[in-house]
Amino acid sequence: MKVLVIGSGGREHALAWRISKSPLVERVYSMPGNPGMAQVGESVAAPPDSSLYVQVAERVGADLTVVGPEIPLVAGVVDEFQAAGRAILGPARVAAQLEGSKIYAKKFFQQYRIPTAEFVTVESRGDALKAVRRFGFPVVLKADGLAAGKGVVVVRNQPEAERAIETLGDRLVVEEFLVGEEASFIVLADGRNVLPLPATQDHKAVFEGDQGPNTGGMGAYSDDRILTSEQAAFVLERMIEPAVNATGFTGFLYAGVMLTQAGPKLLEFNVRMGDPEAQPLMHRLKSDLVPVLLAAARGDLTGATLEWSPRPSVCVVLASGGYPGPY
């Protein structure tokens, strides 16, 4: 079979590398890919609009398309493929709003009683400043739309809050600052069933010691000791399963969780595999990934399993000086 991987980052390289090792796969295509991905398959040019991606899949004869980044998912690429009768792994546009809009997501958490930080949503900078005063410092500000992992700011005083609000825009979530250790819990879903992957932890701050502004991720590791079995069960039952059942979610669903003294609380959902979490996960995976990707895309993960190395793994990111600002 032929598999098309949409995207061009480290996450997509890791997925393409692991997919290429399947005995079921004759050829891997990446769109638009990168030089590393070209070593495990053939790169094809991406059209200017994600609504045209299905034409590329038809041209290369892809039996399965795997979407890496969130932007095409939020734009509805899965709906386009399904309308054309082509197999694709990812959530439909409506379900992708769990990542596409922070305001939508927080109201969703509230509706389905998913444990999360206290919050208010605001539509103007004046209201944002009032909300900040209500919560006190430190407080978390989140831009409503997609921001490549850089739309969340922890502010510790009034001047920082004013600068952040100017940068992030009018539509914001203002929420309490949670104290604890953060973990990433990713599952593969078929619309009803979920297949959990090992827990990971990524590091967002640009400098050592969790200092400096948030980035898209400076590295991640995977280790079975990140979550206890009780914590993992809580995240599945109280956070992930309600979301999958309510939305019919298909694909990778990523729960960013804060492990507080009061128990795990959901920071955010991402509607795709994490980056850089995909890199250590794909390195630990010992079994064939392709059959479970196909099963999820076809809507039936019943009985599906994956085998993992017991050894931890780590990914370290190199970034240009100045990142995440101008560089």
Side-chain angles (χ1 to χ4, degrees):
M1 62 179 290
K2 298 176 182 178
V3 179
L4 172 65
V5 178
I6 295 176
S8 61
R11 164 185 49 215
E12 290 80 29
H13 186 181
L15 286 167
W17 168 75
R18 178 52 67 187
I19 289 167
S20 73
K21 293 183 176 297
S22 171
L24 301 174
V25 174
E26 168 195 351
R27 195 167 191 82
V28 178
Y29 296 93
S30 56
M31 180 176 70
N34 61 45
M37 294 174 76
Q39 295 175 15
V40 298
E42 180 181 335
S43 296
V44 293
D49 192 311
S50 61
S51 67
L52 303 175
Y53 285 1
V54 69
Q55 296 180 11
V56 177
E58 290 171 349
R59 176 165 54 82
V60 301
D63 300 291
L64 174 67
T65 297
V66 178
V67 186
E70 63 275 16
I71 292 175
L73 293 169
V74 172
V77 69
V78 170
D79 307 67
E80 298 282 348
F81 271 67
Q82 290 175 342
R86 301 204 71 88
I88 186 168
L89 182 70
R93 183 175 185 172
V94 171
Q97 288 307 304
L98 287 170
E99 181 171 359
S101 169
K102 293 288 194 300
I103 291 175
Y104 171 87
K106 292 295 284 191
K107 290 180 176 178
F108 181 94
F109 303 166
Q110 192 175 55
Q111 179 181 356
Y112 290 95
R113 298 183 179 179
I114 294 173
T116 190
E118 289 189 26
F119 72 98
V120 296
T121 61
V122 299
E123 302 281 343
S124 72
R125 299 179 188 190
D127 287 343
L129 289 170
K130 290 177 186 175
V132 165
R133 286 193 289 271
R134 170 187 155 186
F135 279 100
F137 298 104
V139 66
V140 181
L141 304 177
K142 295 181 175 181
D144 180 48
L146 296 175
K150 298 184 283 289
V152 178
V153 181
V154 178
V155 296
R156 303 182 184 277
N157 54 53
Q158 189 69 22
E160 283 185 9
E162 292 173 359
R163 287 195 297 271
I165 290 166
E166 283 292 319
T167 301
L168 294 173
D170 294 338
R171 289 175 55 83
L172 299 175
V173 172
V174 182
E175 69 178 35
E176 69 169 319
F177 177 77
L178 296 176
V179 177
E181 192 162 350
E182 198 169 335
S184 303
F185 193 91
I186 302 171
V187 304
L188 183 61
D190 66 3
R192 297 171 294 112
N193 306 298
V194 298
L195 178 62
L197 280 57
T200 53
Q201 187 177 71
D202 75 330
H203 295 270
K204 291 289 190 187
V206 70
F207 300 125
E208 297 289 339
D210 284 333
Q211 300 298 308
N214 273 357
T215 68
M218 293 304 295
Y221 73 99
S222 175
D223 188 327
D224 291 336
R225 295 166 291 185
I226 292 171
L227 292 179
T228 66
S229 56
E230 292 80 8
Q231 289 170 330
F234 184 90
V235 173
L236 276 171
E237 293 167 12
R238 295 291 306 279
M239 300 175 185
I240 288 172
E241 289 175 358
V244 171
N245 292 333
T247 62
F249 191 97
T250 299
F252 291 109
L253 181 61
Y254 166 139
V257 179
M258 185 67 79
L259 306 176
T260 75
Q261 287 190 337
K265 293 194 176 182
L266 184 61
L267 297 173
E268 64 178 1
F269 274 137
N270 292 324
V271 299
R272 34 68 189 184
M273 176 64 87
D275 188 352
E277 291 91 345
Q279 288 89 305
L281 283 171
M282 293 301 99
H283 190 71
R284 283 188 72 189
L285 181 61
K286 294 179 71 176
S287 52
D288 192 345
L289 180 63
V290 172
V292 298
L293 298 181
L294 277 170
R298 291 168 176 168
D300 190 5
L301 275 169
T302 305
T305 60
L306 288 170
E307 184 184 358
W308 303 90
S309 167
R311 300 175 65 190
S313 57
V314 65
C315 166
V316 178
V317 170
L318 281 72
S320 297
Y323 176 80
Y327 58 89

